[in-house]
Amino acid sequence: SPLESPQDTNALVFRAFPAALGVSASSGFQVNSLAVPRRPQEAIGAIALLTHAKSGASMTLNVEYNQLDPLLRESFNEDGDVEDEETGFSPFPGNINQLVLELD
């Protein structure tokens, strides 16, 4: 069964976390995270899938906003953190520090 520990400084999360619990449980996720749309260069950490160039190992994690643009310029896109033409948001959603963990 999943466990959610809402951050008490983010009152609006209480509207979203029941859905996160349900999706996490029905999908059998061991770990899940809530995120929000973010604008390019916005001062909020971003959720990103990072893949090691040599080993191919990958992990999804938070990249702090002041590290994201340089990382993207070096490895993903020479323009860095730019908006998606269709949505106007960054392709990297904002981390709001809400984790759902599976408990056995």
Side-chain angles (χ1 to χ4, degrees), residues 15 18 21 36 47 70 102:
R15 297 187 74 151
L21 286 171
V36 295
I47 301 293
E102 179 185 41

Side-chain angles (χ1 to χ4, degrees), residues 22-86:
V23 168
S24 298
S26 66
S27 299
F29 294 156
Q30 292 178 333
V31 178
N32 198 5
S33 178
L34 291 175
V36 295
R38 60 177 281 285
R39 299 281 181 196
Q41 311 299 323
E42 188 174 359
I44 180 175
I47 301 293
L49 174 66
L50 301 183
T51 303
H52 191 276
K54 293 180 182 175
S55 71
S58 64
M59 65 174 53
T60 302
L61 47 78
N62 178 69
V63 178
E64 287 301 328
Y65 68 91
N66 60 344
Q67 299 295 310
L68 182 63
D69 194 64
L71 175 69
L72 294 175
R73 287 178 188 276
E74 183 179 313
S75 60
F76 180 72
N77 174 358
E78 65 184 29
D79 295 327
D81 187 21
V82 296
E83 68 183 36
D84 176 79
E85 292 179 13
E86 193 172 301

